[in-house]
Amino acid sequence: MTPDDRLAALHARIAAAARIARRDPADITLVAVSKTHPIDAIRPLLAAGQRDFGENRVQEAAAKWPALREEYPDARLHLVGQLQSNKAAEAVTLADAIHSIDRPSLVAAVARAIDATGRQPQCFVQVNIGDEPQKGGCAVAGLPALLTEAQTAGLTVAGLMCVPPAAIEPAPYFALLAKIARDAGLTGLSMGMSDDVEQAVSLGATHVRVGSALFGARA
Ligand SMILES: *Cc1c(COP(=O)(O)O)cnc(C)c1O
């Protein structure tokens, strides 16, 4: 399949799931996760009209995106990976959205960077929805306090993000994230990857983060 075909197939999957859920596909942002892929692999998707892209490492994003943005000034960059506080300033400078706000020290670092740069990326608070020790994300129990802290510090909190446990049915975790977001009065839901876009859309995802289904397997 060409990149155009892959993009069209993804749009068809999102549209089909949205139709069943009686949702407007326009309310779902496809974030093309281009981590590990060189700019030559990204350009065809930009040429096909895709504008939202995700990277998981600040350094890699900084190496790839300034050049691509000169060609496509309306491209939007989402940072979806765990973020070290000492990279917050660069992250805020580069990104239009940060999906991995997950602890007070990072809230503080991002708030300082917002003050220093005047930039205001959309922020998603990442929730460790399966309570997995090895995974990033705030514990469910700690979320209300972290949300208050983020909002008080001046972050624009667009919603919640999760990566459910691997290799088991993700739908219960997506449903839980949606419920927690609703209870917190948040509308944004960053959930769903290549293998579970349909479940995520049916349970309310506003942002799906898709890598391998668009770019092929990563090395
Ligand atoms: C890599 C990555 C994705 C995309 O995963 P695929 O399975 O390749 O679609 C989505 N979200 C995060 C946080 C990632 O790191």
Side-chain angles (χ1 to χ4, degrees), residues 56-90:
N56 70 334
R57 292 176 59 241
V58 173
Q59 223 174 342
E60 185 180 342
K64 285 152 67 173
W65 282 93
L68 288 167
R69 270 200 175 124
E70 276 188 24
E71 295 168 54
Y72 296 92
D74 58 343
R76 286 176 294 273
L77 179 62
H78 300 247
L79 287 173
V80 302
Q82 275 193 47
L83 186 55
Q84 293 170 269
S85 296
N86 65 7
K87 299 274 171 62
E90 201 175 4

PDB file of all heavy atoms in Angstrom, residues 56-90:
ATOM      1  N   ASN A  56       7.665  10.790  20.041  1.00  0.00           N
ATOM      2  CA  ASN A  56       7.760  10.466  21.471  1.00  0.00           C
ATOM      3  C   ASN A  56       9.041  10.979  22.112  1.00  0.00           C
ATOM      4  O   ASN A  56       9.162  10.936  23.323  1.00  0.00           O
ATOM      5  CB  ASN A  56       7.556   8.969  21.723  1.00  0.00           C
ATOM      6  CG  ASN A  56       8.700   8.127  21.217  1.00  0.00           C
ATOM      7  OD1 ASN A  56       9.398   8.537  20.292  1.00  0.00           O
ATOM      8  ND2 ASN A  56       8.896   6.970  21.816  1.00  0.00           N
ATOM      9  N   ARG A  57       9.993  11.467  21.301  1.00  0.00           N
ATOM     10  CA  ARG A  57      11.219  12.000  21.895  1.00  0.00           C
ATOM     11  C   ARG A  57      11.456  13.432  21.416  1.00  0.00           C
ATOM     12  O   ARG A  57      11.419  13.706  20.211  1.00  0.00           O
ATOM     13  CB  ARG A  57      12.407  11.106  21.548  1.00  0.00           C
ATOM     14  CG  ARG A  57      12.297   9.728  22.238  1.00  0.00           C
ATOM     15  CD  ARG A  57      13.417   8.773  21.850  1.00  0.00           C
ATOM     16  NE  ARG A  57      14.712   9.301  22.182  1.00  0.00           N
ATOM     17  CZ  ARG A  57      15.670   9.553  21.290  1.00  0.00           C
ATOM     18  NH1 ARG A  57      15.483   9.320  20.011  1.00  0.00           N
ATOM     19  NH2 ARG A  57      16.827  10.034  21.683  1.00  0.00           N
ATOM     20  N   VAL A  58      11.735  14.307  22.392  1.00  0.00           N
ATOM     21  CA  VAL A  58      11.914  15.721  22.083  1.00  0.00           C
ATOM     22  C   VAL A  58      13.080  15.924  21.111  1.00  0.00           C
ATOM     23  O   VAL A  58      12.990  16.693  20.155  1.00  0.00           O
ATOM     24  CB  VAL A  58      12.138  16.534  23.378  1.00  0.00           C
ATOM     25  CG1 VAL A  58      12.505  17.976  23.070  1.00  0.00           C
ATOM     26  CG2 VAL A  58      10.896  16.481  24.258  1.00  0.00           C
ATOM     27  N   GLN A  59      14.164  15.196  21.381  1.00  0.00           N
ATOM     28  CA  GLN A  59      15.356  15.352  20.548  1.00  0.00           C
ATOM     29  C   GLN A  59      15.074  14.991  19.086  1.00  0.00           C
ATOM     30  O   GLN A  59      15.502  15.678  18.163  1.00  0.00           O
ATOM     31  CB  GLN A  59      16.442  14.424  21.085  1.00  0.00           C
ATOM     32  CG  GLN A  59      17.804  15.055  21.137  1.00  0.00           C
ATOM     33  CD  GLN A  59      18.792  14.128  21.827  1.00  0.00           C
ATOM     34  OE1 GLN A  59      18.399  13.183  22.538  1.00  0.00           O
ATOM     35  NE2 GLN A  59      20.059  14.377  21.635  1.00  0.00           N
ATOM     36  N   GLU A  60      14.367  13.886  18.910  1.00  0.00           N
ATOM     37  CA  GLU A  60      14.027  13.458  17.550  1.00  0.00           C
ATOM     38  C   GLU A  60      13.077  14.454  16.890  1.00  0.00           C
ATOM     39  O   GLU A  60      13.224  14.797  15.708  1.00  0.00           O
ATOM     40  CB  GLU A  60      13.393  12.060  17.606  1.00  0.00           C
ATOM     41  CG  GLU A  60      13.108  11.486  16.234  1.00  0.00           C
ATOM     42  CD  GLU A  60      12.473  10.097  16.302  1.00  0.00           C
ATOM     43  OE1 GLU A  60      12.555   9.446  17.366  1.00  0.00           O
ATOM     44  OE2 GLU A  60      11.891   9.687  15.289  1.00  0.00           O
ATOM     45  N   ALA A  61      12.112  14.939  17.657  1.00  0.00           N
ATOM     46  CA  ALA A  61      11.179  15.931  17.110  1.00  0.00           C
ATOM     47  C   ALA A  61      11.929  17.182  16.674  1.00  0.00           C
ATOM     48  O   ALA A  61      11.659  17.748  15.608  1.00  0.00           O
ATOM     49  CB  ALA A  61      10.114  16.274  18.150  1.00  0.00           C
ATOM     50  N   ALA A  62      12.907  17.597  17.502  1.00  0.00           N
ATOM     51  CA  ALA A  62      13.662  18.815  17.196  1.00  0.00           C
ATOM     52  C   ALA A  62      14.516  18.635  15.944  1.00  0.00           C
ATOM     53  O   ALA A  62      14.796  19.587  15.220  1.00  0.00           O
ATOM     54  CB  ALA A  62      14.540  19.191  18.380  1.00  0.00           C
ATOM     55  N   ALA A  63      14.924  17.395  15.687  1.00  0.00           N
ATOM     56  CA  ALA A  63      15.749  17.140  14.506  1.00  0.00           C
ATOM     57  C   ALA A  63      14.907  17.103  13.232  1.00  0.00           C
ATOM     58  O   ALA A  63      15.399  17.398  12.150  1.00  0.00           O
ATOM     59  CB  ALA A  63      16.499  15.821  14.677  1.00  0.00           C
ATOM     60  N   LYS A  64      13.644  16.699  13.342  1.00  0.00           N
ATOM     61  CA  LYS A  64      12.832  16.486  12.140  1.00  0.00           C
ATOM     62  C   LYS A  64      11.885  17.633  11.813  1.00  0.00           C
ATOM     63  O   LYS A  64      11.670  17.952  10.648  1.00  0.00           O
ATOM     64  CB  LYS A  64      12.008  15.193  12.319  1.00  0.00           C
ATOM     65  CG  LYS A  64      12.860  13.938  12.170  1.00  0.00           C
ATOM     66  CD  LYS A  64      12.315  12.761  12.978  1.00  0.00           C
ATOM     67  CE  LYS A  64      10.989  12.257  12.464  1.00  0.00           C
ATOM     68  NZ  LYS A  64      10.605  10.997  13.195  1.00  0.00           N
ATOM     69  N   TRP A  65      11.280  18.236  12.826  1.00  0.00           N
ATOM     70  CA  TRP A  65      10.107  19.062  12.542  1.00  0.00           C
ATOM     71  C   TRP A  65      10.367  20.495  12.114  1.00  0.00           C
ATOM     72  O   TRP A  65       9.582  21.043  11.337  1.00  0.00           O
ATOM     73  CB  TRP A  65       9.083  18.941  13.670  1.00  0.00           C
ATOM     74  CG  TRP A  65       8.384  17.639  13.449  1.00  0.00           C
ATOM     75  CD1 TRP A  65       8.710  16.436  13.997  1.00  0.00           C
ATOM     76  CD2 TRP A  65       7.346  17.391  12.514  1.00  0.00           C
ATOM     77  NE1 TRP A  65       7.921  15.460  13.460  1.00  0.00           N
ATOM     78  CE2 TRP A  65       7.078  16.016  12.549  1.00  0.00           C
ATOM     79  CE3 TRP A  65       6.628  18.200  11.633  1.00  0.00           C
ATOM     80  CZ2 TRP A  65       6.110  15.428  11.745  1.00  0.00           C
ATOM     81  CZ3 TRP A  65       5.658  17.622  10.834  1.00  0.00           C
ATOM     82  CH2 TRP A  65       5.407  16.245  10.894  1.00  0.00           C
ATOM     83  N   PRO A  66      11.436  21.161  12.566  1.00  0.00           N
ATOM     84  CA  PRO A  66      11.634  22.520  12.052  1.00  0.00           C
ATOM     85  C   PRO A  66      11.710  22.553  10.516  1.00  0.00           C
ATOM     86  O   PRO A  66      11.107  23.422   9.879  1.00  0.00           O
ATOM     87  CB  PRO A  66      12.948  22.947  12.723  1.00  0.00           C
ATOM     88  CG  PRO A  66      12.916  22.213  14.031  1.00  0.00           C
ATOM     89  CD  PRO A  66      12.332  20.854  13.674  1.00  0.00           C
ATOM     90  N   ALA A  67      12.392  21.586   9.923  1.00  0.00           N
ATOM     91  CA  ALA A  67      12.493  21.560   8.457  1.00  0.00           C
ATOM     92  C   ALA A  67      11.132  21.286   7.812  1.00  0.00           C
ATOM     93  O   ALA A  67      10.739  21.956   6.852  1.00  0.00           O
ATOM     94  CB  ALA A  67      13.503  20.493   8.035  1.00  0.00           C
ATOM     95  N   LEU A  68      10.416  20.307   8.358  1.00  0.00           N
ATOM     96  CA  LEU A  68       9.112  19.975   7.768  1.00  0.00           C
ATOM     97  C   LEU A  68       8.128  21.138   7.915  1.00  0.00           C
ATOM     98  O   LEU A  68       7.284  21.380   7.051  1.00  0.00           O
ATOM     99  CB  LEU A  68       8.542  18.717   8.435  1.00  0.00           C
ATOM    100  CG  LEU A  68       9.263  17.423   8.062  1.00  0.00           C
ATOM    101  CD1 LEU A  68       8.845  16.286   8.994  1.00  0.00           C
ATOM    102  CD2 LEU A  68       8.979  17.050   6.598  1.00  0.00           C
ATOM    103  N   ARG A  69       8.248  21.871   9.025  1.00  0.00           N
ATOM    104  CA  ARG A  69       7.332  22.991   9.250  1.00  0.00           C
ATOM    105  C   ARG A  69       7.599  24.158   8.310  1.00  0.00           C
ATOM    106  O   ARG A  69       6.717  24.978   8.086  1.00  0.00           O
ATOM    107  CB  ARG A  69       7.459  23.462  10.681  1.00  0.00           C
ATOM    108  CG  ARG A  69       6.497  22.726  11.572  1.00  0.00           C
ATOM    109  CD  ARG A  69       6.340  23.569  12.782  1.00  0.00           C
ATOM    110  NE  ARG A  69       5.350  23.036  13.682  1.00  0.00           N
ATOM    111  CZ  ARG A  69       5.624  22.749  14.944  1.00  0.00           C
ATOM    112  NH1 ARG A  69       6.836  22.919  15.404  1.00  0.00           N
ATOM    113  NH2 ARG A  69       4.665  22.324  15.705  1.00  0.00           N
ATOM    114  N   GLU A  70       8.838  24.237   7.808  1.00  0.00           N
ATOM    115  CA  GLU A  70       9.069  25.285   6.814  1.00  0.00           C
ATOM    116  C   GLU A  70       8.285  24.976   5.551  1.00  0.00           C
ATOM    117  O   GLU A  70       7.763  25.870   4.903  1.00  0.00           O
ATOM    118  CB  GLU A  70      10.555  25.405   6.506  1.00  0.00           C
ATOM    119  CG  GLU A  70      11.215  26.296   7.529  1.00  0.00           C
ATOM    120  CD  GLU A  70      12.646  26.630   7.190  1.00  0.00           C
ATOM    121  OE1 GLU A  70      13.018  26.577   5.999  1.00  0.00           O
ATOM    122  OE2 GLU A  70      13.379  26.944   8.134  1.00  0.00           O
ATOM    123  N   GLU A  71       8.190  23.685   5.236  1.00  0.00           N
ATOM    124  CA  GLU A  71       7.422  23.301   4.050  1.00  0.00           C
ATOM    125  C   GLU A  71       5.922  23.329   4.312  1.00  0.00           C
ATOM    126  O   GLU A  71       5.137  23.616   3.421  1.00  0.00           O
ATOM    127  CB  GLU A  71       7.827  21.888   3.609  1.00  0.00           C
ATOM    128  CG  GLU A  71       9.267  21.779   3.136  1.00  0.00           C
ATOM    129  CD  GLU A  71       9.688  20.320   2.994  1.00  0.00           C
ATOM    130  OE1 GLU A  71       8.993  19.552   2.298  1.00  0.00           O
ATOM    131  OE2 GLU A  71      10.716  19.941   3.604  1.00  0.00           O
ATOM    132  N   TYR A  72       5.533  22.965   5.520  1.00  0.00           N
ATOM    133  CA  TYR A  72       4.108  22.880   5.874  1.00  0.00           C
ATOM    134  C   TYR A  72       3.871  23.636   7.182  1.00  0.00           C
ATOM    135  O   TYR A  72       3.812  23.033   8.257  1.00  0.00           O
ATOM    136  CB  TYR A  72       3.678  21.415   6.026  1.00  0.00           C
ATOM    137  CG  TYR A  72       3.771  20.625   4.741  1.00  0.00           C
ATOM    138  CD1 TYR A  72       4.916  19.909   4.414  1.00  0.00           C
ATOM    139  CD2 TYR A  72       2.708  20.614   3.838  1.00  0.00           C
ATOM    140  CE1 TYR A  72       5.006  19.191   3.232  1.00  0.00           C
ATOM    141  CE2 TYR A  72       2.780  19.902   2.647  1.00  0.00           C
ATOM    142  CZ  TYR A  72       3.937  19.193   2.353  1.00  0.00           C
ATOM    143  OH  TYR A  72       4.007  18.490   1.175  1.00  0.00           O
ATOM    144  N   PRO A  73       3.725  24.962   7.113  1.00  0.00           N
ATOM    145  CA  PRO A  73       3.610  25.762   8.338  1.00  0.00           C
ATOM    146  C   PRO A  73       2.388  25.408   9.188  1.00  0.00           C
ATOM    147  O   PRO A  73       2.369  25.715  10.375  1.00  0.00           O
ATOM    148  CB  PRO A  73       3.491  27.198   7.812  1.00  0.00           C
ATOM    149  CG  PRO A  73       4.002  27.163   6.417  1.00  0.00           C
ATOM    150  CD  PRO A  73       3.738  25.789   5.892  1.00  0.00           C
ATOM    151  N   ASP A  74       1.392  24.780   8.591  1.00  0.00           N
ATOM    152  CA  ASP A  74       0.192  24.454   9.377  1.00  0.00           C
ATOM    153  C   ASP A  74       0.242  23.038   9.958  1.00  0.00           C
ATOM    154  O   ASP A  74      -0.742  22.572  10.540  1.00  0.00           O
ATOM    155  CB  ASP A  74      -1.075  24.649   8.535  1.00  0.00           C
ATOM    156  CG  ASP A  74      -1.082  23.816   7.272  1.00  0.00           C
ATOM    157  OD1 ASP A  74       0.007  23.327   6.856  1.00  0.00           O
ATOM    158  OD2 ASP A  74      -2.164  23.638   6.684  1.00  0.00           O
ATOM    159  N   ALA A  75       1.383  22.358   9.841  1.00  0.00           N
ATOM    160  CA  ALA A  75       1.510  21.042  10.488  1.00  0.00           C
ATOM    161  C   ALA A  75       1.512  21.236  11.999  1.00  0.00           C
ATOM    162  O   ALA A  75       2.019  22.230  12.507  1.00  0.00           O
ATOM    163  CB  ALA A  75       2.803  20.363  10.043  1.00  0.00           C
ATOM    164  N   ARG A  76       0.918  20.275  12.703  1.00  0.00           N
ATOM    165  CA  ARG A  76       0.867  20.357  14.177  1.00  0.00           C
ATOM    166  C   ARG A  76       1.617  19.166  14.781  1.00  0.00           C
ATOM    167  O   ARG A  76       1.435  18.029  14.356  1.00  0.00           O
ATOM    168  CB  ARG A  76      -0.598  20.353  14.661  1.00  0.00           C
ATOM    169  CG  ARG A  76      -1.321  21.680  14.406  1.00  0.00           C
ATOM    170  CD  ARG A  76      -2.782  21.608  14.794  1.00  0.00           C
ATOM    171  NE  ARG A  76      -3.524  20.687  13.955  1.00  0.00           N
ATOM    172  CZ  ARG A  76      -4.096  21.003  12.797  1.00  0.00           C
ATOM    173  NH1 ARG A  76      -4.035  22.241  12.344  1.00  0.00           N
ATOM    174  NH2 ARG A  76      -4.733  20.095  12.090  1.00  0.00           N
ATOM    175  N   LEU A  77       2.424  19.471  15.794  1.00  0.00           N
ATOM    176  CA  LEU A  77       3.244  18.437  16.418  1.00  0.00           C
ATOM    177  C   LEU A  77       2.713  18.106  17.811  1.00  0.00           C
ATOM    178  O   LEU A  77       2.530  18.986  18.649  1.00  0.00           O
ATOM    179  CB  LEU A  77       4.698  18.928  16.508  1.00  0.00           C
ATOM    180  CG  LEU A  77       5.668  17.962  17.160  1.00  0.00           C
ATOM    181  CD1 LEU A  77       5.766  16.655  16.373  1.00  0.00           C
ATOM    182  CD2 LEU A  77       7.045  18.601  17.294  1.00  0.00           C
ATOM    183  N   HIS A  78       2.486  16.806  18.025  1.00  0.00           N
ATOM    184  CA  HIS A  78       2.033  16.300  19.325  1.00  0.00           C
ATOM    185  C   HIS A  78       3.161  15.483  19.937  1.00  0.00           C
ATOM    186  O   HIS A  78       3.700  14.591  19.284  1.00  0.00           O
ATOM    187  CB  HIS A  78       0.815  15.376  19.144  1.00  0.00           C
ATOM    188  CG  HIS A  78      -0.372  16.025  18.518  1.00  0.00           C
ATOM    189  ND1 HIS A  78      -1.553  16.245  19.185  1.00  0.00           N
ATOM    190  CD2 HIS A  78      -0.569  16.511  17.260  1.00  0.00           C
ATOM    191  CE1 HIS A  78      -2.433  16.834  18.380  1.00  0.00           C
ATOM    192  NE2 HIS A  78      -1.859  16.998  17.203  1.00  0.00           N
ATOM    193  N   LEU A  79       3.505  15.758  21.181  1.00  0.00           N
ATOM    194  CA  LEU A  79       4.484  14.920  21.886  1.00  0.00           C
ATOM    195  C   LEU A  79       3.714  13.901  22.705  1.00  0.00           C
ATOM    196  O   LEU A  79       2.884  14.260  23.542  1.00  0.00           O
ATOM    197  CB  LEU A  79       5.387  15.781  22.769  1.00  0.00           C
ATOM    198  CG  LEU A  79       6.413  16.618  21.992  1.00  0.00           C
ATOM    199  CD1 LEU A  79       7.145  17.567  22.940  1.00  0.00           C
ATOM    200  CD2 LEU A  79       7.413  15.734  21.243  1.00  0.00           C
ATOM    201  N   VAL A  80       3.963  12.607  22.434  1.00  0.00           N
ATOM    202  CA  VAL A  80       3.160  11.548  23.055  1.00  0.00           C
ATOM    203  C   VAL A  80       3.958  10.671  24.007  1.00  0.00           C
ATOM    204  O   VAL A  80       3.389   9.797  24.650  1.00  0.00           O
ATOM    205  CB  VAL A  80       2.477  10.664  21.974  1.00  0.00           C
ATOM    206  CG1 VAL A  80       1.596  11.506  21.068  1.00  0.00           C
ATOM    207  CG2 VAL A  80       3.489   9.885  21.152  1.00  0.00           C
ATOM    208  N   GLY A  81       5.262  10.907  24.124  1.00  0.00           N
ATOM    209  CA  GLY A  81       6.080  10.026  24.962  1.00  0.00           C
ATOM    210  C   GLY A  81       6.379  10.617  26.329  1.00  0.00           C
ATOM    211  O   GLY A  81       6.139  11.796  26.570  1.00  0.00           O
ATOM    212  N   GLN A  82       6.899   9.786  27.204  1.00  0.00           N
ATOM    213  CA  GLN A  82       7.278  10.269  28.539  1.00  0.00           C
ATOM    214  C   GLN A  82       8.250  11.429  28.405  1.00  0.00           C
ATOM    215  O   GLN A  82       9.181  11.386  27.604  1.00  0.00           O
ATOM    216  CB  GLN A  82       7.932   9.137  29.336  1.00  0.00           C
ATOM    217  CG  GLN A  82       6.903   8.264  30.033  1.00  0.00           C
ATOM    218  CD  GLN A  82       7.548   7.350  31.073  1.00  0.00           C
ATOM    219  OE1 GLN A  82       8.354   7.787  31.876  1.00  0.00           O
ATOM    220  NE2 GLN A  82       7.181   6.083  31.031  1.00  0.00           N
ATOM    221  N   LEU A  83       8.025  12.452  29.211  1.00  0.00           N
ATOM    222  CA  LEU A  83       8.772  13.697  29.077  1.00  0.00           C
ATOM    223  C   LEU A  83       9.551  13.965  30.361  1.00  0.00           C
ATOM    224  O   LEU A  83       8.988  13.990  31.450  1.00  0.00           O
ATOM    225  CB  LEU A  83       7.769  14.820  28.797  1.00  0.00           C
ATOM    226  CG  LEU A  83       8.303  16.209  28.478  1.00  0.00           C
ATOM    227  CD1 LEU A  83       9.275  16.187  27.300  1.00  0.00           C
ATOM    228  CD2 LEU A  83       7.130  17.142  28.177  1.00  0.00           C
ATOM    229  N   GLN A  84      10.869  14.170  30.205  1.00  0.00           N
ATOM    230  CA  GLN A  84      11.692  14.565  31.354  1.00  0.00           C
ATOM    231  C   GLN A  84      11.497  16.052  31.600  1.00  0.00           C
ATOM    232  O   GLN A  84      11.397  16.839  30.655  1.00  0.00           O
ATOM    233  CB  GLN A  84      13.165  14.300  31.049  1.00  0.00           C
ATOM    234  CG  GLN A  84      13.535  12.841  30.925  1.00  0.00           C
ATOM    235  CD  GLN A  84      14.956  12.711  30.393  1.00  0.00           C
ATOM    236  OE1 GLN A  84      15.180  12.622  29.202  1.00  0.00           O
ATOM    237  NE2 GLN A  84      15.923  12.731  31.308  1.00  0.00           N
ATOM    238  N   SER A  85      11.512  16.432  32.866  1.00  0.00           N
ATOM    239  CA  SER A  85      11.294  17.846  33.199  1.00  0.00           C
ATOM    240  C   SER A  85      12.347  18.744  32.562  1.00  0.00           C
ATOM    241  O   SER A  85      12.037  19.872  32.165  1.00  0.00           O
ATOM    242  CB  SER A  85      11.279  18.034  34.714  1.00  0.00           C
ATOM    243  OG  SER A  85      10.186  17.333  35.273  1.00  0.00           O
ATOM    244  N   ASN A  86      13.567  18.241  32.425  1.00  0.00           N
ATOM    245  CA  ASN A  86      14.604  19.103  31.841  1.00  0.00           C
ATOM    246  C   ASN A  86      14.443  19.281  30.327  1.00  0.00           C
ATOM    247  O   ASN A  86      15.184  20.028  29.712  1.00  0.00           O
ATOM    248  CB  ASN A  86      16.022  18.608  32.203  1.00  0.00           C
ATOM    249  CG  ASN A  86      16.340  17.249  31.617  1.00  0.00           C
ATOM    250  OD1 ASN A  86      15.559  16.698  30.826  1.00  0.00           O
ATOM    251  ND2 ASN A  86      17.463  16.686  31.988  1.00  0.00           N
ATOM    252  N   LYS A  87      13.467  18.591  29.743  1.00  0.00           N
ATOM    253  CA  LYS A  87      13.165  18.791  28.314  1.00  0.00           C
ATOM    254  C   LYS A  87      11.888  19.618  28.121  1.00  0.00           C
ATOM    255  O   LYS A  87      11.445  19.829  26.994  1.00  0.00           O
ATOM    256  CB  LYS A  87      12.954  17.432  27.618  1.00  0.00           C
ATOM    257  CG  LYS A  87      14.167  16.510  27.653  1.00  0.00           C
ATOM    258  CD  LYS A  87      15.105  16.804  26.497  1.00  0.00           C
ATOM    259  CE  LYS A  87      16.422  16.062  26.602  1.00  0.00           C
ATOM    260  NZ  LYS A  87      16.274  14.613  26.587  1.00  0.00           N
ATOM    261  N   ALA A  88      11.299  20.074  29.240  1.00  0.00           N
ATOM    262  CA  ALA A  88       9.996  20.741  29.133  1.00  0.00           C
ATOM    263  C   ALA A  88      10.076  22.028  28.310  1.00  0.00           C
ATOM    264  O   ALA A  88       9.176  22.306  27.511  1.00  0.00           O
ATOM    265  CB  ALA A  88       9.443  21.043  30.532  1.00  0.00           C
ATOM    266  N   ALA A  89      11.145  22.798  28.479  1.00  0.00           N
ATOM    267  CA  ALA A  89      11.241  24.064  27.757  1.00  0.00           C
ATOM    268  C   ALA A  89      11.281  23.811  26.250  1.00  0.00           C
ATOM    269  O   ALA A  89      10.561  24.464  25.479  1.00  0.00           O
ATOM    270  CB  ALA A  89      12.485  24.833  28.216  1.00  0.00           C
ATOM    271  N   GLU A  90      12.091  22.842  25.851  1.00  0.00           N
ATOM    272  CA  GLU A  90      12.174  22.540  24.421  1.00  0.00           C
ATOM    273  C   GLU A  90      10.844  21.959  23.918  1.00  0.00           C
ATOM    274  O   GLU A  90      10.402  22.250  22.815  1.00  0.00           O
ATOM    275  CB  GLU A  90      13.332  21.566  24.173  1.00  0.00           C
ATOM    276  CG  GLU A  90      13.823  21.587  22.748  1.00  0.00           C
ATOM    277  CD  GLU A  90      15.047  20.703  22.536  1.00  0.00           C
ATOM    278  OE1 GLU A  90      15.480  20.017  23.488  1.00  0.00           O
ATOM    279  OE2 GLU A  90      15.550  20.697  21.396  1.00  0.00           O
TER     280      GLU A  90
END
